[in-house]
């Protein structure tokens, strides 16, 4: 969307709400001059934080869409996500007894979404919800999304004929320095939400008794080795307190 069209839309919403620029500015914690510049499409002179604050004051959500001259950026990101999913599926199915369904969509009482991988162990009647992340951006959103999917997973699985006794969750993050650093910076938060590590995960997959809340790292490509794909994924030197992946 062009800058001028963006500003016009914000102005239209403000007028429809019967608000003055000064009122929007007060709610957003910015100057009324900033609101005026945004409405006139002068976005280069406004910070993203101020832009989001003004939009939020008007109950408008602003999403950024990066574009890459090298081609379809969304396709490139999706391809990396697909490689991570392929790695996770192959690693998971190395453990006997697991069936895996990728990209399981749901719509329950108005809550909609897609579970990246839903795994089922018939003998133990164990259900595992797997969230795949090629990059950790928003920590709160990541944990909140996983919690919501885990809450709804039992009903989703029932539609597949899987009656689970317990629902476990696992966050699989693409191995890499940036993700290790990001998780290390928020180690306490992730440890509180997902206390089980890669070692606990590997043992649980062999015999899934009880509930698991795990976080682990995997490469976003399949390695042709005789060992499970995720068994050697953590090669980055860790700082004290940094979360571990499978090794």
């Amino acid at each position: 969307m062009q800058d001028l069209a963006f500003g016009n839309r914000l102005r239209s919403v403000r007028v429809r709400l019967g608000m003055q620029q000064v009122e929007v500015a007060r709610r957003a914690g910015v100057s009324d001059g900033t609101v005026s510049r945004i409405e006139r499409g002068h976005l280069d002179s406004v910070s993203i934080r101020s832009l989001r604050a003004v939009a939020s004051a008007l109950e408008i959500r602003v999403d950024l869409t990066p574009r890459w001259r090298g081609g379809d950026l969304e396709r490139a990101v999706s391809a990396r996500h697909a490689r991570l999913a392929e790695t996770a599926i192959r690693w998971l199915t190395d453990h006997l007894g697991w069936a895996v369904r990728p990209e399981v969509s749901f719509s329950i009482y108005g809550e909609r979404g897609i579970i990246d991988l839903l795994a089922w162990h018939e003998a133990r009647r164990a259900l595992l919800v797997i969230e795949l992340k090629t990059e950790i951006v928003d920590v709160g959103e990541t944990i909140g999304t996983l919690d919501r999917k885990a809450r709804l997973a039992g009903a989703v699985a029932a539609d597949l004929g899987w009656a689970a006794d317990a629902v476990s969750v696992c966050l699989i993050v693409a191995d890499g320095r940036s993700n290790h650093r990001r998780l290390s910076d928020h180690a306490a938060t992730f440890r509180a939400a997902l206390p089980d590590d890669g070692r606990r995960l590997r043992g649980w997959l062999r015999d899934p008794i009880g509930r698991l809340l795990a976080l682990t790292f995997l490469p976003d490509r399949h390695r042709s080795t005789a060992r499970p794909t995720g068994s050697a994924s953590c090669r980055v030197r860790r700082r004290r307190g940094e979360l571990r992946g499978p090794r």
Side-chain angles (χ1 to χ4, degrees), residues 1-233:
M1 182 185 299
Q2 298 298 319
D3 292 359
L4 183 58
F6 181 92
N8 284 335
R9 292 195 180 186
L10 262 65
R11 180 181 181 280
S12 296
V13 171
R14 175 179 64 78
V15 171
R16 183 171 183 177
L17 293 175
M19 298 173 64
Q20 299 294 322
Q21 287 183 348
V22 64
E23 183 180 356
V24 175
R26 180 179 55 78
R27 291 188 180 186
V30 300
S31 68
D32 54 346
T34 296
V35 177
S36 177
R37 287 195 298 275
I38 291 174
E39 291 188 355
R40 287 183 284 120
H42 298 168
L43 303 187
D44 288 343
S45 62
V46 180
S47 69
I48 293 179
R49 175 177 294 181
S50 296
L51 188 64
R52 288 187 183 277
V54 171
S56 178
L58 296 169
E59 299 181 355
I60 297 173
R61 188 183 72 184
V62 175
D63 295 323
L64 299 180
T65 304
R67 301 188 185 279
W68 179 40
R69 65 179 182 179
D72 188 341
L73 182 59
E74 187 65 29
R75 181 176 297 177
V77 172
S78 297
R80 191 180 180 204
H81 188 275
R83 291 196 303 270
L84 183 61
E86 180 72 10
T87 298
I89 291 172
R90 293 190 185 191
W91 179 57
L92 186 63
T93 53
D94 280 345
H95 298 79
L96 297 179
W98 287 97
V100 184
R101 292 284 297 271
E103 300 289 322
V104 180
S105 61
F106 62 86
S107 178
I108 301 175
Y109 299 119
E111 295 192 86
R112 297 178 175 84
I114 296 177
I115 297 175
D116 291 334
L117 300 176
L118 192 61
W120 170 247
H121 194 281
E122 178 68 31
R124 292 297 188 187
R125 303 175 68 84
L127 188 68
L128 178 62
V129 175
I130 298 177
E131 181 81 358
L132 304 171
K133 285 293 183 183
T134 57
E135 183 179 4
I136 297 294
V137 178
D138 188 322
V139 174
E141 187 273 338
T142 296
I143 293 176
T145 296
L146 188 55
D147 180 72
R148 180 173 66 94
K149 292 178 181 179
R151 173 169 49 83
L152 300 172
V156 176
D159 289 339
L160 300 174
W162 299 343
D165 290 338
V167 177
S168 297
V169 297
C170 179
L171 175 63
I172 294 181
V173 182
D175 199 14
R177 296 194 179 200
S178 296
N179 282 337
H180 276 273
R181 186 181 305 111
R182 183 68 169 162
L183 267 67
S184 180
D185 290 343
H186 299 274
T189 299
F190 279 106
R191 191 175 294 114
L194 303 165
D196 297 315
D197 60 10
R199 181 177 299 179
R200 162 76 172 134
L201 171 63
R202 293 196 304 275
W204 184 87
L205 286 174
R206 289 190 291 269
D207 190 16
I209 298 177
R211 190 174 186 228
L212 180 86
L213 300 172
L215 185 155
T216 193
F217 293 93
L218 283 181
D220 61 350
R221 62 190 181 279
H222 181 61
R223 295 173 180 169
S224 300
T225 65
R227 302 178 65 184
T229 306
S231 62
S233 67

Side-chain angles (χ1 to χ4, degrees), residues 224-244:
S224 300
T225 65
R227 302 178 65 184
T229 306
S231 62
S233 67
C234 211
R235 296 300 187 190
V236 180
R237 179 177 294 179
R238 295 183 298 271
R239 294 177 291 177
R240 179 174 298 178
E242 185 168 347
L243 294 165
R244 294 171 176 253

